[in-house]
Structures are given as structure tokens and as C-alpha cells.
Amino acid sequence: MSALSRRALVFGSLALSGAALAVQPGEQLKDGALEARARKLSAELRCLVCQNQSIDDSDAELARDLRRLVRERISAGDSDSAIRQFLVARYGEFVLLRPPFSLSTALLWSLPAIALLGGILVARSLFRKPAEAVATPESAPLAETERQALEVLLARRDKA
């Protein structure tokens, strides 16, 4: 194995180990199926401290508490939807990494489409060719005094 391959392997292992370090061994459920369910559910919940990480990936104390809460509720027999509803009731829809489409989140979900449409309209208006030629200073006829001044300038240039 070359040095470059070893470095790539070490880098890849370190990059992928971040999520594994967040969930502590003492937090894990003994039943593998329940633990897998807890991991799947906690990957869908936002860390309220980190905000762009799931509670499964975060080392924040609140994320740890939420992971424990999820596992307690799973052990108590709650369904995934009941656990989500409990957390949404407590923390609001912000706790969900992918909030459902509703009236309150309509702008959030439609904003990318609105931005894309706006960008297309702006680009179209910037790059559109004019429908008809508009008279420009180059195409307008010169007044007699302008024509004489131009002839004088051209004559000077030709002499130089």
C-alpha cells in the first residue's frame, strides 16, 4: 500500500468517524433493531444548538439529552411518528431537519423555485435582444454644425 493510499484511508476513516463519536456506547440500546430505529430517527432531528447537524451527529449536551429521550420513548413503545409529534410539540417544527409541507412552511419549500424563476426572468431581461432598433446617437443624422466640426477634426487627423 502506497503512502498516498494510506493517507487517503486515514483521512476517509477520520471523516466518517465524526457521526460515530457523537453517540456514546452508554446511550445505545441493547436491542439492535431498536438501536437502528433510534439512529434513523435521531438522524432526522435537528440539533437545536448546532442547527445544521442532526442530533445523531452532534456532541452538544442538548443533542445528547434528545438522543436519550428518543431512546427512552422507543423503549417505552412509542412509534416514530409519536416521538416526532412529542418533539415538535415541545420544540416546534424547527427540530425536524426536513419539516413537512404545510401552510406555515410553504414559503420555505417554495423559495428555491421562486428564486430560480426570478433568476430566469432577470437573465432573460438582461440578455434579451431589443424587439426593434431604437434610434441611437450613431444612427441619428448630424446637424449641420456637427457635420462641419466633424469635417474639421477629420481634416486635422489626415494632416497629422
Side-chain angles (χ1 to χ4, degrees):
M1 183 181 274
S2 71
L4 182 60
S5 298
R6 276 183 280 200
R7 287 183 189 151
L9 183 63
V10 169
F11 178 74
S13 298
L14 290 174
L16 295 174
S17 67
L21 296 175
V23 177
Q24 302 299 317
E27 295 177 29
Q28 296 179 352
L29 296 171
K30 293 188 184 355
D31 183 353
L34 292 179
E35 178 60 27
R37 199 174 129 209
R39 293 295 293 259
K40 181 180 178 287
L41 186 58
S42 63
E44 299 171 2
L45 299 171
R46 180 186 315 274
C47 173
L48 300 171
V49 175
C50 306
Q51 296 189 6
N52 285 332
Q53 279 186 315
S54 70
I55 62 171
D56 200 40
D57 296 333
S58 176
D59 279 332
E61 191 66 35
L62 179 60
R64 191 172 299 125
D65 292 342
L66 288 174
R67 286 194 303 266
R68 285 188 200 123
L69 178 66
V70 166
R71 283 167 174 76
E72 287 171 8
R73 308 261 324 169
I74 286 175
S75 297
D78 288 357
S79 68
D80 291 357
S81 63
I83 296 169
R84 276 191 215 95
Q85 288 172 356
F86 174 79
L87 291 170
V88 167
R90 187 178 243 186
Y91 299 105
E93 284 189 341
F94 185 72
V95 77
L96 302 174
L97 275 173
R98 288 178 301 261
F101 185 81
S102 66
L103 190 57
S104 63
T105 60
L107 182 62
L108 172 72
W109 283 105
S110 59
L111 200 56
I114 291 170
L116 179 64
L117 183 62
I120 289 170
L121 291 175
V122 167
R124 184 173 171 219
S125 69
L126 288 175
F127 297 111
R128 183 179 1 167
K129 292 181 182 177
E132 61 184 63
V134 179
T136 61
E138 293 84 23
S139 64
L142 295 175
E144 189 56 37
T145 55
E146 293 172 329
R147 184 180 308 279
Q148 290 172 357
L150 179 62
E151 287 175 6
V152 168
L153 289 172
L154 290 174
R156 266 193 231 158
R157 185 189 71 178
D158 291 341
K159 288 180 184 177

